[in-house]
Amino acid sequence: MITLTTPALLFPAISLLLLAYTNRFLVVAQLIRSLSGSMDDANRRTVHRQISTLKRRVYLIKVMQIFGVVSFLLCTVSMFLIFLELPVWGSWLFGISILSLSISLVYSLYEIGISTQALNIILDDLNLFEGDKR
């Protein structure tokens, strides 16, 4: 049987996770804006290679945020149900909340992999550029 404090333990973790997701979104948005402002013939190939990656990352961050918010809401409702002395329903919603949080984290892991691929695209282009200078 869970108590009211059990779901409350997730509140700081979920809040910090949502803050991290928002920061990731802001960084990607800033990158997109800077790419659109600095696009010329010299870096057009690099930008085109990054567009699909950036679109996927924006989508994944949106899904991460959705599952994070759902987890937060379910955790809140779980606490309310436990407060109303409906511990079985509260336990079920808390379990679904943890599942939602886990799904959010899996999407986050996938997004980290994609962002690493995006950095490798830039590094490959920089390596080619360095080779042209020699």
Side-chain angles (χ1 to χ4, degrees):
M1 193 66 76
I2 66 173
T3 65
L4 192 59
T5 57
T6 305
L9 292 173
L10 275 186
F11 268 68
I14 296 172
S15 297
L16 288 174
L17 194 62
L18 290 174
L19 182 62
Y21 292 167
T22 301
N23 286 338
R24 290 192 74 74
F25 178 78
L26 292 174
V27 167
V28 170
Q30 183 180 11
L31 177 61
I32 291 170
R33 288 185 188 101
S34 70
L35 282 175
S36 69
S38 66
M39 196 162 140
D40 58 15
D41 289 336
N43 65 1
R44 187 172 300 274
R45 191 178 124 229
T46 303
V47 171
H48 282 290
R49 289 176 64 195
Q50 291 179 343
I51 288 173
S52 66
T53 302
L54 290 170
K55 285 181 180 180
R56 271 194 306 174
R57 287 182 67 194
V58 167
Y59 171 77
L60 289 172
I61 292 171
K62 179 178 85 171
V63 172
M64 289 161 35
Q65 288 175 328
I66 288 170
F67 277 105
V69 168
V70 167
S71 176
F72 198 65
L73 286 172
L74 290 175
C75 195
T76 304
V77 174
S78 170
M79 287 177 60
F80 184 66
L81 290 173
I82 293 168
F83 175 76
L84 293 177
E85 297 182 3
L86 298 168
V88 174
W89 287 99
S91 296
W92 275 99
L93 280 185
F94 181 63
I96 297 169
S97 172
I98 292 175
L99 179 64
S100 179
L101 183 61
S102 299
I103 292 169
S104 175
L105 291 171
V106 168
Y107 274 100
S108 175
L109 187 62
Y110 183 55
E111 193 272 335
I112 289 169
I114 291 174
S115 73
T116 303
Q117 289 173 351
L119 289 174
N120 285 333
I121 290 172
I122 294 170
L123 289 173
D124 288 346
D125 286 344
L126 287 174
N127 193 28
L128 290 174
F129 181 71
E130 287 294 318
D132 291 343
K133 281 187 166 181
R134 291 181 198 180

